[in-house]
Amino acid sequence: MDLSIGGIWAAMGIPAKVVLLVMILMLVWCVYVAIERALYFLTARGQSRALAGAIGGPLSKHDLDGANSMVKSDAYKKAYLAAILGAALGEYSRRPDKHGIASAKRMLDTVSTEEGAGLRKGMNILATTGSTAPFVGLVGTIFGIITAFGMMAEAGGGDLTQISGGIAEALVSTAVGIIVAIVAIWFYNYFNAVIDDVMKDVAVASAELVDYLEKDVLRRSEEQVAK
């Protein structure tokens, strides 16, 4: 029997071929998700970090309108911090007092949760593929074993050369299933680590904004007393 890739494919039964194609599609799907997520994080993190550095300018001058305009600008339209900080600043701008701070905190929690869900887009695909690919490969392995036993029955014996096609079919299915699972789990763990870092950045930025708003309320109170 020809044990090259083409030879093994030709010797495979239809069920095993279907299983193999399914695993290849799972792999392609995972790679697509990984590329899409990598490009997204590259842009979103870059814009968010740029915004975190730039927004300090108008805030240091107590220019809430300028800060609101900045988070809404096209330069930061893909920044997750723009949505989070923008929602909080909008609430505080409408009522710059302790009640406005409480409302801003609620918006920080709400929008952070929404943005976190957006960051995890596609992660369920990687997780599902990583956990199920070996079992999909096992299905192909079972078909390969069935093929091997069928060859044994036709040959009336267990000569290895006669059942090699079925054995190769089974081993290929197992190997592909494991490879797909490893790739998916690697991607899943990597992007989970990236998301954890992003959420830490969000938590720090949110805490700094709340601290700024509390100081701003105190400044306004002192100015009113001075008048």
Side-chain angles (χ1 to χ4, degrees):
M1 175 189 171
D2 182 6
L3 295 180
S4 64
I5 294 177
I8 294 173
W9 174 261
M12 279 184 171
I14 293 177
K17 287 181 178 179
V18 171
V19 170
L20 187 59
L21 288 174
V22 168
M23 289 189 292
I24 292 173
L25 288 175
M26 292 169 71
L27 178 60
V28 171
W29 201 3
C30 287
V31 172
Y32 169 79
V33 170
I35 293 173
E36 188 275 333
R37 288 290 85 188
L39 293 175
Y40 168 78
F41 283 120
L42 180 64
T43 302
R45 292 185 82 180
Q47 291 187 4
S48 292
R49 288 173 175 175
L51 174 61
I55 200 170
L59 290 180
S60 65
K61 300 175 183 177
H62 312 297
D63 182 9
L64 292 179
D65 291 335
N68 275 312
S69 298
M70 180 175 290
V71 297
K72 295 176 183 177
S73 68
D74 290 340
Y76 308 112
K77 63 181 180 180
K78 292 186 178 181
Y80 41 82
L81 276 185
I84 296 169
L85 300 183
L89 286 171
E91 290 294 318
Y92 180 73
S93 296
R94 284 189 283 273
R95 187 169 180 174
D97 56 21
K98 63 179 182 179
H99 299 290
I101 292 177
S103 181
K105 288 180 179 179
R106 289 193 294 272
M107 288 304 297
L108 284 172
D109 291 338
T110 299
V111 181
S112 293
T113 300
E114 293 173 351
E115 289 298 312
L119 293 172
R120 291 181 172 82
K121 176 184 175 183
M123 296 300 291
N124 58 328
I125 294 173
L126 299 179
T128 301
T129 300
S131 61
T132 60
F135 297 103
V136 176
L138 183 59
V139 172
T141 300
I142 293 171
F143 284 124
I145 293 172
I146 292 172
T147 300
F149 278 113
M151 292 176 175
M152 288 174 62
E154 290 178 2
D159 187 355
L160 185 60
T161 59
Q162 296 171 337
I163 63 173
S164 59
I167 294 174
E169 180 179 315
L171 293 177
V172 167
S173 297
T174 301
V176 173
I178 292 173
I179 290 171
V180 172
I182 290 173
V183 171
I185 292 171
W186 278 352
F187 284 146
Y188 179 80
N189 289 337
Y190 171 74
F191 287 114
N192 256 345
V194 172
I195 292 170
D196 287 342
D197 288 341
V198 167
M199 296 311 296
K200 289 176 184 176
D201 291 343
V202 169
V204 170
S206 298
E208 289 178 348
L209 179 63
V210 171
D211 181 64
Y212 167 82
L213 297 181
E214 291 175 344
K215 291 177 180 178
D216 191 63
V217 168
L218 180 60
R219 177 187 62 83
R220 291 172 185 269
S221 298
E222 291 174 347
E223 288 179 352
Q224 289 178 354
V225 171
K227 292 178 181 179

